[in-house]
Amino acid sequence: MNNTEPLFSILIPSWNNLAFLKLCIESIRKNSTFPHEILIHVNEGSDGTLDWVREQRFKHTHSPQNIGVCYALNGLRPLVTTDYVLFMNDDMYVCPGWDEALLREIRAIGHKMFFLSSTLLQPRKFFCKSVISPANYGETVDTFDEARLLREYATLPHGDWQGATWPPNVVHRDIWDLVGGYSVEYSPGMYSDPDFSAKLYHAGVRIFKGVDKSRVYHFEARSTHRIVKNDGSLQFLRKWGITSSSFMRDVLHRGEPYGAEADCSGQLRRDILRSKIKRCLTIFKSTKAKEIW
């Protein structure tokens, strides 16, 4: 590719999180091998985010209130000019070579039917083996030990893993359009990540790979405590007939070493049966974050 042309269109939703957003974009500019197109959705922006984004002349969209991640991502799609749509959270810091590792994997695959995730480093212990944790280099911008992270990030043992789902993730824009982007019925966004993976799977994608050498530090600066959450777990169950955890464990094998053989057919059948029972028991339960009407 021409090194002056952007490789990825990086979609970043941000909700009054300016300090983290600035650090995220600084890391993209400093640690990327290739140029990228940065597209930002500003939710509210009352902390100065909107003014800053305009001053920096980023292509962006804006909503006066928080519209959630699904509407934000889909609203940015018309601004995409590259072949690859990459979703990134604003509280992430990309490590050197993160994009080169993803491009190398895309070229090795040689077709569009893939879904790739970077490998996260997180400060707190995490339940999934796909994440390197605990790997604490700071939980805020002020406590971030950037120098130590840059010395150590590549030395932490891991490996490629199965079951790509959460950001940073990248998909060809034709495949994004094939499945219609992120499902807005999950707004403000709980469980929209596994739903997107499920849509890709049903569309025929079978390569769900976490790339070890594409490493990104995630501060886990959660904004979910500020929102009224949708019951995404139940929505996923009703939509797909299986729980999200069963789909990730039995179908995508998230967190397992990439390429490892795993026969979960028996477990899958049992989980589908249990899922059907659970769906029946929750038939009258609401999944809405809030009533609109």
Side-chain angles (χ1 to χ4, degrees):
M1 65 172 287
N2 187 327
N3 283 344
T4 64
E5 297 177 357
L7 173 61
F8 299 142
S9 295
I10 303 177
L11 279 52
I12 308 176
S14 188
W15 182 23
N16 295 340
N17 214 17
L18 181 55
F20 279 109
L21 178 63
K22 286 181 176 180
L23 182 62
C24 175
I25 292 173
E26 179 188 349
S27 75
I28 293 170
R29 288 171 164 170
K30 181 167 61 175
N31 295 333
S32 297
T33 303
F34 304 101
H36 302 291
E37 175 178 60
I38 298 174
L39 308 175
I40 302 167
H41 177 79
V42 181
N43 279 308
E44 192 178 336
S46 59
D47 66 337
T49 298
L50 184 59
D51 292 337
W52 182 77
V53 166
R54 286 171 173 169
E55 289 169 2
Q56 297 296 311
R57 298 176 180 257
F58 287 115
K59 289 199 289 182
H60 67 280
T61 54
H62 171 242
S63 56
Q65 294 84 33
N66 175 34
I67 60 173
V69 67
C70 304
Y71 281 111
L73 293 172
N74 292 352
L76 288 170
R77 170 61 185 90
L79 303 182
V80 169
T81 65
T82 75
D83 285 338
Y84 303 107
V85 180
L86 189 142
F87 166 29
M88 184 177 295
N89 287 336
D90 62 3
D91 65 335
M92 291 178 168
Y93 176 100
V94 301
C95 297
W98 73 281
D99 54 338
E100 185 177 9
L102 291 176
L103 179 61
R104 189 182 308 116
E105 194 64 41
I106 290 170
R107 286 176 170 170
I109 291 168
H111 57 74
K112 300 176 183 178
M113 299 295 283
F114 64 83
F115 191 42
L116 303 179
S117 282
S118 298
T119 296
L120 294 177
L121 290 72
Q122 293 187 171
R124 296 185 285 273
K125 188 174 181 179
F126 196 66
F127 72 93
C128 185
K129 293 181 288 185
S130 68
V131 175
I132 301 172
S133 68
N136 197 333
Y137 296 90
E139 297 185 29
T140 68
V141 171
D142 291 337
T143 61
F144 179 43
D145 193 343
E146 181 180 21
R148 187 166 66 88
L149 173 67
L150 293 176
R151 287 196 306 269
E152 298 176 0
Y153 77 92
T155 66
L156 303 176
H158 201 261
D160 293 339
W161 48 276
Q162 300 186 150
T165 175
W166 37 55
N169 56 46
V170 61
V171 65
H172 195 281
R173 66 178 182 181
D174 291 347
I175 307 306
W176 173 286
D177 292 341
L178 177 66
V179 301
Y182 277 65
S183 298
V184 297
E185 66 267 25
Y186 285 83
S187 294
M190 308 306 294
Y191 285 77
S192 58
D193 291 333
D195 176 77
F196 188 68
S197 291
K199 293 203 297 184
L200 293 174
Y201 186 86
H202 281 265
V205 174
R206 292 296 181 269
I207 298 176
F208 292 83
K209 185 173 186 178
V211 180
D212 175 42
K213 293 189 180 302
S214 177
R215 297 198 170 185
V216 175
Y217 187 68
H218 183 208
F219 286 92
E220 298 182 276
R222 300 180 182 129
S223 59
T224 54
H225 67 280
R226 293 187 275 161
I227 62 173
V228 180
K229 299 177 184 178
N230 59 298
D231 190 343
S233 175
L234 183 53
Q235 286 177 283
F236 189 98
L237 171 61
R238 288 178 177 171
K239 181 174 182 178
W240 299 110
I242 189 174
T243 64
S244 171
S245 59
S246 296
F247 173 71
M248 287 299 169
R249 179 181 61 248
D250 304 338
V251 179
L252 296 190
H253 315 297
R254 186 174 65 187
E256 297 301 322
Y258 192 79
E261 295 294 330
D263 182 8
C264 294
S265 55
Q267 182 67 45
L268 178 59
R269 286 192 295 271
R270 291 190 292 273
D271 283 341
I272 289 175
L273 177 59
R274 280 194 287 264
S275 295
K276 288 180 178 179
I277 295 171
K278 182 176 181 180
R279 184 163 57 173
C280 290
L281 293 174
T282 58
I283 190 170
F284 296 112
K285 186 176 180 182
S286 173
T287 63
K288 293 182 179 179
K290 61 180 178 179
E291 295 293 339
I292 298 176
W293 307 110

